[in-house]
Each structure stands twice: as C-alpha cells, then as structure tokens.
C-alpha cells in the first residue's frame, strides 16, 4: 500500500514548557495527520540526549527522554500541582530549545512527582520494573553515579565505580536506593505516556517510524555495564572508534568517536544484545529505521586519540548472519535501512538478502539524469522517498543555497519557471514517485528556511532546536497535504467508508477502485452453472491433492 509520512520529532511538538511533550499537543498532531490523510509519523530516537543535545548520542539505547514527560498528565494523576511547574521559566524563545534550562528545571519537577508517587503502591510500576530489569537496573545505577560525579563521563569516575567493583556498586545500591528508584520512576512515567500516545496513533491508523543509531555513545550505560561487547582496553578506554573515511564532502573524514562493537563476542553470544535491542525498538515503534546500515557489512575504524578520520581501515561486519539470527528469534522485521552514501556491491547484496527498503533523498538528485535519486530511476517501489532527512537542510534552505547549474536542472526537470515554486514541486515529485512510503519534514510543508534545519552533521550548537507552534497546523495545510495524498493514491479509506460509498453508488474514483469495479462487473456477467449454485460439485471434479 502506498503511504505518506511526516517527519517531526517529539521535541518539535508545540509546547509552553520549552520542548515538545507527550501530552495533548502530541495527540492533536496525530489528529492532524489523520485529517491530512497521512499514515506514518516518523520521529528521531526517543532516548535521553547527552553532550551536544543529539538524540543519536544518548546515555542509553533503551531509556526514554525525561524532557518529553508531560507535566499536565502528571498533574491530572495527582502527582503535580500548578505551582510545581507552570510558573517556571522554560524558554528564552519560543522558536528554539534551551537544553540548559531544561536540565536545570525538569528533574526538579519530576522529583516532586516522584515524592508523591511513592505514597502509593502500583502493580503496573512493579511489572514495568521486572520486565525492563535487563536494562533499567544498570541505567538507574549509571545515572545515579553520574549525578554523584557532577555529570562527568564514567571514564572519569573513581576506578572502583568506572570498572564496576562488585562491593562498591553494592554499597551505592544501599546508600542511594531512593536516587536509583527515582530514575526508574522517570522511565516508568515516560513509557506509560509514550505507549498511551502510540496506542492512540495506532488506533487512528497511524504507524510510528522510529530511529536507532547503529552505534551507542561511549558515555552510556550500555558501554559502562557491558564493556566486553565493545573494543575497549582493560582500563575501559577505546581501542578504536567509529567514523567515515575522507570523501569529496569531508576531506578529513568524519570522526564520530563511538566505540566499535566487538563482533566476535556478539557472535559467540548469538547476538543476544542485538536481539534485545531490536526487540525493544520493535515494541516502541511500528517501523524501525537503522542509521548507517552499511556498517553491518563493513565498518570504518579509527585509532582512538586521532584528531580526524584520515587514518583508519575497513573491517568486516557481521553481515547477513546478524539479520538471520534476528529474524529467527523475532520473526519478520519491519526495518528501513539507511543506505545513503557510498554503497558497495557487498552492501547492496546485504540489502537484497534482507529485503529491507532503502532510502531515496530528493535533495541528492539534481546533478544529472542518471542520478539514482531521481524518481524515474527508481528500480523498485520497495524504497522510502524523502524530500530530506534530519541531517539535510530544509527544502527551502536547500533551494536557496544551490548553484545556478543545479537550480537550472531542477527547474527543467520539474517544469517550474520560478525558484519560489520549487519547494512545492519537490514535495509533489516525492509524493508522485513509486516509493511505497514518501516522507517530508514538517519544515518543508511549513516552507521554513535554513533557520529550521534540525541538524548540521559534524557541528555543535544550534542543532536539534527546531520547534513548531499550534498555529502552524491549519486546516489549509491539512487540506493541501490531503489533496497530495489523494492525487498520488496515498490514501487508505476505511472499509466502512468504502462499503458506505458503494451502497450509495458513490465509490471514490481512484485507479484501484475503478479496477475493482470493472472486475466486479465482469464477474457478475459470467453465467454460473446451476449445479455450482446449488453447491452440487461432482466428486471427480475435485482435483487430487
């Protein structure tokens, strides 16, 4: 089925508390998607943000971002009062996110809710703790120790804590039991609110496309609690780190700094850590996009301590064996493979074997007619077409930053005379493609320029800050998006609506409905033998099995 999708992270949802929340405005956005005929909502990773505020660099691959917890819902549950949060200064500007202000205020409010919650017992809470103990216990301990160490990364803690001395960790569990419990409570409330929102979306016919980075952050509960799964020295320092080699866009390559997986240990453990990670992601999302998918076939390693990514080497990854194992444990996987960049025949073979759809980004398309990202070159509908990703400029920003040659080709291809009309034409081109799912950032529908760019890779500051206002989601915008979905057959009518329209001879005129009507008319015209109508089929007419 052909679908459309809007890419907007939770952080960008309208809010008067400095950042998007999982409350009423999130539900309103779901209603906006329904009204617009959109079937998928893509978000970025839900994990807590760490240094640089990136959701792709988190303290945990499993935990949810405490900043997204809705205070109004907690108030309705009797855990907060207006005075606890409504008169705090949450933002300096309604156009951007101030993560420092959030850090300084959010946890204080959540601790008030925690103090009130502890007065009652909750079976749901106990069940959540038990079901998520495989990651939650380590995460709560890690966050407690991090708090006791003024937020420093675990590699700078006292060695007895950094290297998880058994007696030292046991002493912390006893002495700081309340602090540990607080971090568990925060996760309970996050996931309670998230799954309620997800259920609302699913019940309305909206699928959630989530995102997970291939690597985890070095300063994370994942690496601290299970160092054997990563290429680390005995003192916990990385042997080598992840990145990308130099290319025409990055002369010195990209130095990401994430620790490299010790794939031989993962294989020995039958990839159990990855099974748990993908199982968790498949539970909180309906479709999982995996960033830097090519790293499973082969990955680039850079010696730890390098200033750039010039010196490095390619190493063989787990390849198809990992996904065979995952499917044997979890069943059919609903995954989108981020396959952008230089794709070797070996990576393409991995994609073909898994059958996962790859990505086509319209912004990458306009240099020559043979470009694989131009829709007329798509060889299959098993792909996801994007106007741009969170790492790209907005469409408007892209249009007004390109050279004359690119814009000339773009205008010619789209049969557009004026530059100001290119944004709408590029969205329509994406929707018209054969791709099963087409995606646009909400910034593109709002015609926002480069000031609304979500992220500029390899830079710090001014990223992950884009926000929307309630006034952005107008009836006019909804009607515009709905018309696009209707024009390019990306609507799915409810069965009840189809039946109702059929009885009133008012079937919506789409290619599929027209074809079904013609087929129905042909079947009705066939003269059926009376013995079949009476269900009197002769025994010799039944084929042998």
């Amino acid at each position: 089925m052909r679908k459309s999708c809007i890419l907007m992270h939770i952080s960008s949802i309208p809010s008067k508390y400095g950042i998007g929340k999982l409350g009423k405005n999130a539900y309103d956005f779901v209603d906006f998607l329904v009204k617009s005929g959109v079937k998928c909502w893509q978000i970025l990773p839900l994990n807590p943000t760490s240094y640089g505020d990136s959701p792709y660099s988190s303290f945990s691959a499993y935990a949810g971002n405490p900043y997204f917890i809705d205070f109004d819902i907690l108030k309705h549950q009797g855990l907060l009062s207006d005075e606890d949060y409504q008169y705090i200064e949450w933002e300096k500007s309604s156009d951007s996110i101030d993560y420092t202000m959030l850090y300084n205020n959010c946890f204080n409010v959540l601790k008030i809710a925690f103090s009130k919650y502890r007065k009652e017992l909750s079976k749901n809470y106990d069940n959540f703790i038990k079901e998520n103990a495989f990651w939650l216990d380590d995460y709560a301990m890690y966050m407690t120790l991090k708090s006791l160490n003024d937020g420093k990364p675990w590699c700078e803690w006292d060695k007895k804590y950094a290297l998880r001395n058994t007696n030292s960790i046991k002493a912390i569990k006893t002495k700081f039991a309340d602090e540990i419990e607080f971090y568990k409570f925060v996760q309970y409330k996050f996931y309670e609110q998230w799954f309620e929102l997800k259920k609302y979306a699913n019940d309305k016919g909206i699928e959630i496309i989530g995102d997970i980075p291939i690597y985890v952050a070095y300063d994370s509960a994942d690496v601290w609690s299970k160092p054997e799964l990563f290429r680390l020295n005995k003192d916990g320092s990385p042997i080598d780190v992840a990145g990308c080699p130099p290319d025409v866009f990055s002369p010195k390559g990209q130095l990401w700094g994430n620790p490299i997986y010790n794939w031989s240990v993962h294989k020995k453990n039958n990839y159990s850590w990855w099974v748990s990670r993908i199982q968790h992601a498949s539970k909180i999302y309906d479709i999982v996009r995996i960033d830097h998918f090519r790293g499973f076939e082969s990955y680039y390693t850079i010696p730890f301590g390098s200033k750039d990514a010039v010196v490095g080497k390619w190493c063989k990854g787990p390849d198809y064996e990992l996904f065979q194992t995952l499917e044997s444990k979890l069943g059919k996987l609903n995954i989108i493979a981020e396959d952008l960049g230089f794709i070797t025949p070996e990576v393409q073979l991995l994609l073909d074997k898994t059958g996962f759809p790859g990505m086509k980004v319209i912004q990458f398309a306009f240099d020559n007619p043979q470009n694989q990202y131009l829709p007329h070159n798509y060889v299959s509908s098993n792909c996801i077409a994007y106007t741009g990703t969170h790492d790209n400029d907005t469409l408007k920003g892209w249009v007004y930053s390109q050279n004359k040659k690119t814009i000339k080709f773009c205008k010619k291809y789209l049969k557009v005379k004026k530059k100001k009309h290119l944004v709408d034409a590029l969205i329509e081109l994406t929707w018209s493609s054969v791709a099963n799912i087409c995606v646009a950032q909400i910034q593109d529908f709002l015609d926002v320029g480069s000031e609304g760019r979500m992220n500029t890779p390899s830079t710090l500051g001014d990223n992950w800050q884009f926000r929307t206002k309630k006034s952005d989601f107008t009836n006019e915008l909804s009607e515009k998006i709905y018309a696009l979905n209707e024009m390019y057959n990306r609507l799915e009518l409810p069965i009840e609506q189809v039946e109702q329209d059929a009885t009133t001879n008012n079937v919506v005129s789409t290619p599929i409905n027209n074809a079904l009507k013609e087929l129905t008319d042909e079947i009705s015209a066939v003269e059926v033998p009376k013995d079949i109508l009476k269900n009197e089929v002769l025994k010799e007419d039944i084929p042998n099995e």
Side-chain angles (χ1 to χ4, degrees):
M1 173 197 157
R2 289 166 61 80
K3 304 175 185 177
S4 66
C5 175
I6 289 181
L7 169 56
M8 186 178 81
H9 194 33
I10 303 297
S11 61
S12 299
I13 292 171
S15 171
K16 58 182 179 181
Y17 302 117
I19 195 170
K21 300 283 186 177
L22 298 173
K24 183 179 183 304
N25 288 338
Y27 287 77
D28 289 344
F29 181 66
V30 170
D31 293 339
F32 175 84
L33 294 176
V34 173
K35 190 164 64 172
S36 304
V38 174
K39 287 296 173 183
C40 299
W41 175 11
Q42 182 171 339
I43 59 176
L44 305 183
L46 286 171
N47 312 114
T49 53
S50 58
Y51 177 71
D53 308 318
S54 170
Y56 293 87
S57 179
S58 175
F59 297 136
S60 170
Y62 294 91
N65 193 334
Y67 298 157
F68 297 160
I69 295 174
D70 187 76
F71 299 144
D72 293 335
I73 293 177
L74 296 183
K75 174 189 170 183
H76 180 74
Q77 294 173 336
L79 300 179
L80 292 175
S81 62
D82 290 344
E83 291 74 18
D84 294 328
Y85 67 98
Q86 289 195 3
Y87 306 114
I88 295 173
E89 184 181 7
W90 292 103
E91 58 192 26
K92 292 178 180 177
S93 168
S94 60
D95 295 324
S96 62
I97 298 168
D98 190 318
Y99 286 94
T100 301
M101 294 183 79
L102 291 174
Y103 178 78
N104 290 334
N105 293 316
C106 184
F107 289 99
N108 293 333
V109 174
L110 292 174
K111 283 179 179 178
I112 294 172
F114 174 59
S115 67
K116 294 181 180 179
Y117 184 80
R118 292 179 65 199
K119 294 178 182 178
E120 61 183 54
L121 296 175
S122 167
K123 186 176 181 180
N124 289 338
Y125 176 72
D126 292 339
N127 289 339
F128 175 82
I129 298 302
K130 291 175 184 177
E131 291 172 4
N132 293 278
F134 71 96
W135 66 269
L136 187 58
D137 289 349
D138 287 327
Y139 171 75
M141 173 62 71
Y142 165 84
M143 291 303 295
T144 299
L145 285 166
K146 195 170 186 64
S147 177
L148 294 172
N149 285 274
D150 298 322
K152 293 177 182 177
W154 65 265
C155 58
E156 296 181 20
W157 301 347
D158 188 305
K159 283 189 176 180
K160 62 187 178 184
Y161 301 126
L163 301 181
R164 295 174 61 85
N165 175 274
T166 303
N167 291 332
S168 300
I169 295 297
K170 187 176 180 180
I172 291 293
K173 282 184 179 179
T174 302
K175 186 175 182 179
F176 295 95
D178 284 352
E179 187 79 6
I180 293 170
E181 196 71 21
F182 166 71
Y183 286 107
K184 292 182 179 181
F185 163 80
V186 168
Q187 289 306 304
Y188 170 64
K189 282 301 172 185
F190 171 86
Y191 277 111
E192 180 183 64
Q193 292 189 8
W194 170 249
F195 282 120
E196 282 295 318
L197 176 62
K198 182 177 181 293
K199 182 180 186 304
Y200 183 82
N202 290 165
D203 288 347
K204 295 274 188 174
I206 305 296
E207 293 180 293
I208 305 293
I209 300 178
D211 204 337
I212 64 171
I214 184 174
Y215 293 116
V216 298
Y218 177 56
D219 184 22
S220 67
D222 311 291
V223 178
W224 173 72
S225 64
K226 294 181 174 58
E228 69 279 3
L229 298 179
F230 303 87
R231 285 178 48 81
L232 305 178
N233 294 305
K234 289 184 178 180
D235 64 356
S237 61
I239 297 171
D240 42 20
V241 294
C244 279
D247 56 25
V248 293
F249 301 105
S250 304
K252 293 188 177 182
Q254 296 181 36
L255 179 62
W256 300 337
N258 306 79
I260 298 293
Y261 294 111
N262 189 336
W263 283 115
S264 61
V265 173
H266 283 271
K267 181 175 182 177
K268 184 179 179 181
N269 295 341
N270 204 23
Y271 301 105
S272 59
W273 185 85
W274 274 98
V275 171
S276 294
R277 189 181 184 194
I278 297 301
Q279 184 177 41
H280 177 76
S282 299
K283 181 180 178 182
I284 64 176
Y285 308 127
D286 298 303
I287 303 171
V288 181
R289 174 190 177 273
I290 302 181
D291 201 40
H292 194 60
F293 186 82
R294 72 141 301 140
F296 292 113
E297 189 281 321
S298 57
Y299 55 94
Y300 191 67
T301 70
I302 305 157
F304 178 63
S306 299
K307 294 182 179 179
D308 53 44
V310 173
V311 177
K313 64 178 181 179
W314 286 99
C315 300
K316 186 65 180 174
D319 209 26
Y320 185 54
E321 181 181 75
L322 169 62
F323 296 98
Q324 279 183 307
T325 303
L326 290 172
E327 292 214 343
S328 70
K329 301 286 186 180
L330 304 175
K332 187 66 177 174
L333 302 173
N334 207 355
I335 284 174
I336 296 172
E338 188 273 285
D339 59 343
L340 306 176
F342 179 65
I343 301 300
T344 64
E346 292 80 8
V347 177
Q348 187 58 56
L349 180 61
L350 173 59
L351 282 166
D352 293 341
K353 283 183 175 180
T354 61
F356 300 152
M359 295 171 55
K360 306 291 185 183
V361 179
I362 292 295
Q363 287 187 29
F364 298 163
F366 296 97
D367 56 359
N368 67 80
Q370 290 78 42
N371 188 299
Q372 64 165 319
Y373 296 117
L374 284 172
H376 70 258
N377 290 321
Y378 295 1
V379 297
S380 168
S381 62
N382 186 37
C383 62
I384 316 296
Y386 285 78
T387 57
T389 75
H390 64 275
D391 282 334
N392 298 127
D393 205 342
T394 64
L395 273 184
K396 186 175 183 178
W398 179 84
V399 166
Y400 285 93
S401 66
Q402 298 305 299
N403 58 45
K404 290 182 179 180
K405 183 180 178 182
T406 299
I407 293 301
K408 182 179 179 181
F409 178 48
C410 194
K411 286 180 177 179
K412 184 178 180 180
Y413 188 88
L414 295 167
K415 295 181 174 59
V416 169
K417 293 183 178 181
K418 295 183 178 181
K419 184 185 285 190
K420 67 179 182 179
H421 295 147
L422 283 176
V423 170
D424 282 344
L426 288 165
I427 294 174
E428 188 161 352
L429 176 67
T430 310
W431 255 241
S432 71
S433 73
V434 297
N436 284 335
I437 302 177
C438 59
V439 187
Q441 296 188 89
I442 190 63
Q443 293 96 310
D444 296 340
F445 282 117
L446 297 175
D447 200 30
V448 175
S450 295
E451 71 278 6
R453 181 169 183 163
M454 195 62 166
N455 180 51
T456 303
S458 302
T459 66
L460 284 176
D462 299 326
N463 292 323
W464 319 109
Q465 295 187 13
F466 175 74
R467 301 176 68 186
T468 61
K469 298 179 176 64
K470 292 182 73 172
S471 58
D472 289 330
F473 302 97
T474 63
N475 288 331
E476 290 77 15
L477 179 59
S478 178
E479 290 168 1
K480 176 182 177 180
I481 298 171
Y482 188 93
L484 264 177
N485 288 319
E486 185 176 41
M487 175 63 71
Y488 295 107
N489 193 29
R490 295 189 182 276
L491 293 177
E492 180 187 22
L493 289 176
I495 294 175
E496 299 83 3
Q497 181 65 45
V498 174
E499 291 174 346
Q500 180 182 352
D501 289 339
T503 38
T504 58
N505 293 320
N506 188 29
V507 177
V508 176
S509 179
T510 67
I512 293 177
N513 285 333
N514 290 339
L516 285 172
K517 184 177 185 305
E518 291 174 7
L519 182 59
T520 303
D521 292 342
E522 290 176 12
I523 293 173
S524 299
V526 175
E527 185 174 346
V528 183
K530 293 180 179 179
D531 58 341
I532 293 180
L533 287 173
K534 294 178 180 177
N535 201 27
E536 295 175 353
V537 182
L538 296 177
K539 184 177 181 180
E540 55 265 29
D541 291 332
I542 301 175
N544 294 324
E545 293 184 354

